[in-house]
Amino acid sequence: MKRQWSIFSILNYIFLALVGFSMVYPFIYIVVYSFNDGKDSIMGSLYFLPRKWTLENYAQVFENARIWQAYKITLMRTILGTFLHVALSTLMAYALAKKTLPGRNFVAFYIFLPTIFSAGFIPFFITLQKLQLINTFWVYVIPMLFSFMHIVIIRTFLQGLPEELVESAHIDGYGDFQIFMRIILPLSGPVLATISLFIGVTHWNDWFTGAYYVSNKDLIPVQTLLQEMLTQAEAFSSSLNRSAQQGGQTVSASAGGSTPESLRMALLVITVFPIICIYPFLQRFFVKGVMIGSVKG
């Protein structure tokens, strides 16, 4: 049976295609810019293919020792921070999902209260300073161990599991921790993958913590380093514009070489690439976990 194409369907597909293209094209432009000669890119008019192919931008990025150290810090904080966050959130959600937990409503309200009120930047900085977390690796991990939203999603998911599973396990002599490890965790794959993606992307993309709470260059994550390169690229562009206006000269692109802007584009591709690779494997869990964790209950 042939499909009937209405005017609305055609316009709808065209509109969605344009919206999708508007979202994808910035990534295409970044990749094209990163593979183009830096000085040649200043001339503009780069759209879908590099005008002057080069790997010099990536070579200079990987030759920088700060890049490798920043990548190491980012990987460590993402892996460790995601694991601890998911582990603690799941344990708390499992406890709050039990109707027999004494003071369950008070505990739920207690962890919900900080989501309403925020003391602000300065009190938070003083708290980190008193805990001796400033300028340490743990400033990336410990403040992000808690998320009320993630606990609620996991708890709602656990409340949707059949109670007969837990009751039969109790009859077989299992304790709460054994039930959690052998029954709850294997059944919670979709929601745990969803939460892992949420917090993992948050850790990976966070530049604010490294910029304001860390001064040690060896502890700077790659996103903070990218932000510094962005500032340098903007200053470089402003300097070129002032030189061109004052001296009446144009920037020559005949000589090959990288610029802060082209290096930033190469670093941006390297930074985003791991998340793009991981997301397709978690997408099916992501959709299922969000729907179950937010609709049921």
Side-chain angles (χ1 to χ4, degrees), residues 153-192:
I153 292 176
I154 299 175
R155 186 191 67 170
T156 307
F157 178 88
L158 297 181
Q159 288 176 339
L161 297 177
E163 296 183 1
E164 291 78 7
L165 290 174
V166 178
E167 293 176 357
S168 61
H170 278 300
I171 295 175
D172 293 337
Y174 282 17
D176 286 332
F177 186 74
Q178 290 177 312
I179 294 174
F180 176 77
M181 296 298 295
R182 298 188 179 184
I183 297 177
I184 300 300
L185 283 183
L187 294 176
S188 303
V191 71
L192 295 184

Side-chain angles (χ1 to χ4, degrees), residues 1-293:
M1 181 178 178
K2 294 184 178 180
R3 184 173 181 176
Q4 299 293 330
W5 291 90
S6 63
I7 297 178
F8 174 77
S9 298
I10 296 174
L11 294 177
N12 191 31
Y13 277 110
I14 293 175
F15 173 74
L16 292 177
L18 292 175
V19 171
F21 177 77
S22 65
M23 295 180 179
V24 173
Y25 181 73
F27 296 98
I28 297 176
Y29 177 78
I30 291 172
V31 173
V32 170
Y33 203 113
S34 67
F35 282 103
N36 197 76
D37 181 81
K39 293 183 178 179
D40 178 78
S41 300
I42 298 176
M43 299 174 61
S45 300
L46 288 176
Y47 300 108
F48 295 99
L49 290 175
R51 184 169 49 242
K52 191 174 182 180
W53 287 83
T54 183
L55 295 177
E56 185 178 352
N57 298 321
Y58 290 93
Q60 290 196 24
V61 166
F62 285 115
E63 287 175 0
N64 191 339
R66 290 191 63 191
I67 299 296
W68 293 105
Q69 180 63 21
Y71 235 106
K72 176 183 176 182
I73 294 297
T74 301
L75 286 173
M76 288 175 58
R77 69 168 292 187
T78 301
I79 295 173
L80 183 61
T82 300
F83 174 77
L84 293 177
H85 178 93
V86 173
L88 295 178
S89 298
T90 307
L91 287 170
M92 182 171 287
Y94 176 61
L96 292 176
K98 288 183 168 296
K99 298 179 180 180
T100 57
L101 177 68
R104 185 179 71 152
N105 293 332
F106 172 77
V107 174
F109 177 76
Y110 180 78
I111 64 176
F112 168 71
L113 197 61
T115 63
I116 303 177
F117 303 101
S118 177
F121 175 80
I122 296 178
F124 182 66
F125 181 87
I126 295 175
T127 301
L128 295 179
Q129 193 175 43
K130 293 295 184 181
L131 295 174
Q132 298 183 358
L133 295 178
I134 297 296
N135 214 33
T136 65
F137 171 79
W138 294 104
V139 74
Y140 299 123
V141 178
I142 293 179
M144 298 181 66
L145 290 178
F146 168 83
S147 173
F148 176 76
M149 183 188 72
H150 294 171
I151 294 174
V152 169
I153 292 176
I154 299 175
R155 186 191 67 170
T156 307
F157 178 88
L158 297 181
Q159 288 176 339
L161 297 177
E163 296 183 1
E164 291 78 7
L165 290 174
V166 178
E167 293 176 357
S168 61
H170 278 300
I171 295 175
D172 293 337
Y174 282 17
D176 286 332
F177 186 74
Q178 290 177 312
I179 294 174
F180 176 77
M181 296 298 295
R182 298 188 179 184
I183 297 177
I184 300 300
L185 283 183
L187 294 176
S188 303
V191 71
L192 295 184
T194 302
I195 300 303
S196 298
L197 182 61
F198 280 156
I199 190 64
V201 171
T202 301
H203 272 289
W204 189 270
N205 290 335
D206 178 40
W207 65 271
F208 184 88
T209 304
Y212 289 92
Y213 304 134
V214 176
S215 59
N216 187 350
K217 297 298 182 181
D218 294 333
L219 295 177
I220 295 297
V222 68
Q223 296 294 351
T224 304
L225 184 60
L226 179 62
Q227 191 270 341
E228 292 180 359
M229 295 185 67
L230 173 60
T231 303
Q232 294 174 2
E234 292 176 349
F236 179 77
S237 299
S238 300
S239 177
L240 288 179
N241 292 334
R242 286 195 300 268
S243 299
Q245 292 175 359
Q246 294 175 2
Q249 300 175 354
T250 58
V251 179
S252 175
S254 59
S258 300
T259 63
E261 182 72 14
S262 63
L263 294 177
R264 182 174 67 91
M265 293 297 183
L267 181 59
L268 185 59
V269 172
I270 297 172
T271 302
V272 176
F273 183 74
I275 297 298
I276 295 178
C277 292
I278 293 174
Y279 183 79
F281 296 99
L282 298 178
Q283 184 179 10
R284 59 191 182 97
F285 297 110
F286 176 79
V287 176
K288 184 178 179 181
V290 169
M291 293 301 295
I292 294 178

